[in-house]
Every structure is written in structure tokens, then in C-alpha cells.
Amino acid sequence: MKLLTLGINHHTAPVAVREKVAFDPEGLLDALSDLRSHLGGVNRGGMPEATILSTCNRTELYCALMILPLRVSFMRQRLIG
């Protein structure tokens, strides 16, 4: 199993980019479900392991994957719409 971390913060991205990938509290569960549907592999309980950390200054994804790479379509959807 591989651990993947992906994130941006106030040191690595301007506000305009951080605003595009920020997750609001109302949409966070849907976003997490969407992220899990894009992962390749599951844990013993049958669910992909992932979490999203989103604050005003950073957005981070943490995923446990059976195979790499993570399909980039999840973040592409967040950035492009």
C-alpha cells in the first residue's frame, strides 16, 4: 500500500488557486465520497482510505492507495469545473 499526500498552501499557491480547490463544509462529505470513488484500491473494510483537510490557507488530500498514480481527474474537476 502507498500513502499519497497532495496539497497546496499559502506558500505554494496564490489565493485565486486556493479558492478554487477549497472545500466548503457543506460539500465536504460529497467531495470525500467523490475522491474515494477515484481511488484505485480499498482497505480490508472495503472502503478506499482517504481524508481531506481544507482550511482558509491550505487544502490537503491524504490517500492510501494500492496502485499509483491517483487519477488526476478528481483535482482537475475541482480546478477546472
Side-chain angles (χ1 to χ4, degrees):
M1 185 173 297
K2 310 290 185 200
L3 178 63
L4 174 70
T5 60
L6 175 67
I8 63 170
N9 62 45
H10 63 285
H11 294 294
T12 62
V15 172
V17 173
R18 294 194 320 266
E19 287 176 343
K20 286 185 176 183
V21 298
F23 296 90
D24 60 19
E26 296 81 22
L28 190 57
L29 287 178
D30 287 337
L32 185 57
S33 177
D34 195 31
L35 172 60
R36 286 180 172 155
S37 73
H38 283 80
L39 296 176
V42 296
N43 66 12
R44 285 189 232 166
M47 290 278 301
E49 296 182 70
T51 192
I52 298 172
L53 174 65
S54 186
T55 71
C56 60
N57 285 323
R58 64 184 177 163
T59 297
E60 299 171 355
L61 307 177
Y62 297 90
C63 308
L65 304 172
M66 300 304 286
I67 57 173
L68 288 177
L70 172 68
R71 294 178 209 137
V72 297
S73 58
F74 177 78
M75 288 307 291
R76 185 176 299 138
Q77 285 176 327
R78 295 293 303 179
L79 288 169
I80 299 171

